[in-house]
Amino acid sequence: MSDSIKKKIAGIENEVITLRRDFHQHPELGLKETRTAGIIAGYLEKAGLVVKTGVGRTGVIGLLQGRKPGKTLMIRADMDALPIQEENQVPYRSENDGVMHACGHDGHMAILLGAAQILSVHRSEIPGNIKFVFQPGEEGYDGARLMIEDGVLENPPVDAAIALHLGCKIRTGKIGLRNGATMASSDAFSIRVYGQMGHGAHPENGVDAIYISGHVILSLQSLVSREVSALNPVVVHVGMIKGGTAGNIMADRVTLRTVVRTLDEDLRATIPQRLDRILKGITSAYRGSHEMRYLGGVGPVVNDPVILEMVRSAAEQTVGRENIIIPEPSMGSDDMARFLERVPGCYFSLGVGNEEKGYNFPVHHPRFDLDEKGLTIGVETMVRSAFRYLGPTE
Ligand SMILES: [Zn+2]
Ligand SMILES: [Zn+2]
């Protein structure tokens, strides 16, 4: 069957590219992917799957039930675009001003639809179920949580989950697989530094919240440089600061927003106390005080060694052992983490980079575009992974 899968997938390459270009031309922001959801639902229905829409607002599930009972594998693609004005001059350029599929989710969806098409033809050979999950709002809308709350992991219960992210850092024809943590956690905190208002000419009569905040911002970096092993990456970023009313008045409060990222769940759990301790020490040293509020976040994306090996062998069969690479972990995040906290799984990287053809921009860039030759490699890896996990012989 092995060669016939390659042939069958080659037979739908144009269809997959057409789907991707259609999504690219009509991008929609997180939790607003209504047109996108409609296209997906229609396609899955035509492939003969049981389709559920409106899961986690605009999410879609296609359920393929094999002929015999067995395990349930979930394959996930994210659906949302970004608030970026596209700068590419291509026939399939975004028609929605200020909105662009600059993170490759258009490709993820096309790949998953292609895989659903191929696997639905093989339904009679497949024991168990495959859940094709199209998740809205990955770019900061916590779409994974919304889908989980709407029961995406139940009925039938999901035993394992896989997903890919494409990117130009890896050349087309190569696949990246990394054991353990492959993307970072991301936790946002709101910090208030309090002082006491007074005339700027007489600092001794007030408590300057802006002066204190300066110390706070610098001291937060000691978390990285003085508290955590250099071999355990952590990023502390202050991305917003607000305070004060005039140049000659001492500010009585300053608001800061910070995001902390790490690859280590144990370290992540200690971050709130560490932040609080530093804030308390610094603010009280200068006669001020503070308040800290957790705004939410996701854990690291951690691959399961068993599922990873399964995807690796599927990937090796697709592109050859020499084309499998171990990518560096990323300090970016992906809410795929929410699924992988609950079921074992694998999140891997698909190469779509080709510098000579101009496919070398990073994701979230207004000129990001992808080498469409990589799409069917994604389809094949997903199809072979499903076969391997659910157990029919190839
Ligand atoms: Zn993104
Ligand atoms: Zn993305």
Side-chain angles (χ1 to χ4, degrees), residues 78 103 105 108 138-139 165:
D78 36 17
C103 201
H105 300 181
H108 298 171
E138 187 280 323
E139 301 282 1
H165 206 299

Side-chain angles (χ1 to χ4, degrees), residues 21 26 58 81 154 169 184 208-209 212 220 224 264 267 274 308-309 318 350-351 361 378:
R21 291 186 177 192
H26 305 97
T58 42
E154 307 303 324
K169 257 210 262 177
D208 186 353
I212 299 173
L220 287 179
V224 183
D264 179 340
L267 170 61
R274 289 175 193 259
L308 180 99
E309 277 316 307
T318 304
L350 176 73
F361 288 93

Side-chain angles (χ1 to χ4, degrees), residues 22-29 32 35-36 81-86 92-101:
D22 180 63
F23 290 135
H24 192 88
Q25 221 164 340
H26 305 97
E28 294 172 301
L29 292 175
K32 290 184 178 149
R35 178 191 180 276
T36 306
L82 287 159
I84 293 177
Q85 179 67 43
E86 175 155 21
Y92 48 90
R93 185 176 201 271
S94 167
E95 284 180 8
N96 298 346
D97 257 3
V99 185
M100 176 191 177
H101 267 298

Side-chain angles (χ1 to χ4, degrees), residues 188-195 209 212-213 216 220 242 252-258 272-273 275-284 288-295:
F189 300 86
S190 171
I191 295 165
R192 275 267 172 88
V193 173
Y194 292 108
I212 299 173
S213 296
V216 162
L220 287 179
K242 228 163 138 183
D252 67 343
R253 66 182 60 194
V254 171
T255 305
L256 306 148
R257 283 277 177 93
T258 182
Q273 301 101 282
L275 287 180
D276 202 55
R277 193 195 68 242
I278 293 169
L279 286 165
K280 197 171 169 194
I282 299 292
T283 54
S284 65
S289 61
H290 84 286
E291 248 173 43
M292 189 180 86
R293 207 154 48 90
Y294 179 54
L295 301 175

